[in-house]
Amino acid sequence: MTIINLGYTAPINREGQSVLTISQAWAGLERKVRHAEEFVPLISACEVLDEQKPKEKGNDQQVEAITRNVTFRGNNGDPGRVVKEVCKLYPPCRVDFHQEDGSKIANYITYGPSGEDKDLWMTYVFEWRHPDVKEGSDEAGALKIKHKTTAKMAVESSIETIRRLVAEGKL
């Protein structure tokens, strides 16, 4: 089995751009949980299966939890792969995604050294599990390179989408 752990971080507010607030960035992550296809080009569909608010319906959880199916785009016309995830929201800075195979993803909004909104950063951390890939193999090395590219794309496209939705007045 191969487990690939990696992360990617990018500034939410780059020089010359309007400053997004932590509230706007958080609203974007909340929307991403329900509409992942708007934020990550590798995802073609997102279906919310269940939503539980904290202390609702007799549960004792302290956070909002959303169960969803996301469909990843297939290659060369192949049908996409559907992955069930439980998403746990920790306002205003973190969403954890737990997949059935044990893979985990965390999305963070953090402040940089200034502690101001102009210095916000977005980080995605991934734990990808590949039970059929031998640790240290050429295939594992190729997957690590592929996942590094995917991590960067996911963060950058999420920031771009949040900026666009704010400009359109949707967040």
Side-chain angles (χ1 to χ4, degrees):
M1 174 190 268
T2 295
I3 299 174
I4 299 172
N5 293 292
L6 60 90
Y8 182 82
T9 300
I12 292 173
N13 297 308
R14 292 185 166 104
E15 186 145 343
Q17 293 180 321
S18 59
V19 174
L20 296 182
T21 66
I22 193 165
S23 296
Q24 290 169 315
W26 176 250
L29 283 187
E30 285 183 306
R31 183 176 176 106
K32 180 178 172 274
V33 169
R34 292 170 180 81
H35 304 282
E37 72 283 358
E38 296 177 358
F39 293 82
V40 180
L42 294 176
I43 296 174
S44 62
C46 180
E47 176 190 9
V48 173
L49 304 173
D50 184 53
E51 292 190 53
Q52 291 189 348
K53 303 286 185 197
K55 302 286 185 182
E56 179 181 85
K57 299 179 189 171
N59 72 51
D60 62 355
Q61 67 188 28
Q62 299 299 312
V63 299
E64 182 175 4
I66 296 172
T67 303
R68 70 184 191 174
N69 279 339
V70 290
T71 303
F72 289 88
R73 295 187 189 284
N75 294 323
N76 303 321
D78 293 337
R81 179 175 59 103
V82 177
V83 176
K84 187 174 186 178
E85 295 181 320
V86 176
C87 312
K88 294 185 178 183
L89 290 79
Y90 300 87
C93 65
R94 184 176 113 214
V95 180
D96 292 342
F97 304 84
H98 300 268
Q99 297 180 353
E100 290 183 310
D101 71 354
S103 295
K104 298 178 193 117
I105 302 127
N107 295 180
Y108 298 98
I109 302 168
T110 59
Y111 286 103
S114 75
E116 297 176 15
D117 282 344
K118 68 179 182 182
D119 194 15
L120 288 175
W121 295 80
M122 184 167 286
T123 300
Y124 289 4
V125 177
F126 300 87
E127 177 187 320
W128 277 296
R129 294 177 170 262
H130 297 280
D132 299 330
V133 177
K134 184 178 179 198
E135 182 69 34
S137 67
D138 289 345
E139 184 180 6
L143 281 169
K144 185 173 183 180
I145 291 167
K146 176 184 171 187
H147 287 324
K148 280 178 93 171
T149 301
T150 298
K152 179 179 180 180
M153 177 273 307
V155 172
E156 297 290 355
S157 66
S158 293
I159 293 169
E160 290 172 18
T161 299
I162 291 169
R163 290 196 149 283
R164 179 180 52 77
L165 292 171
V166 167
E168 293 172 354
K170 295 179 180 176
L171 290 180

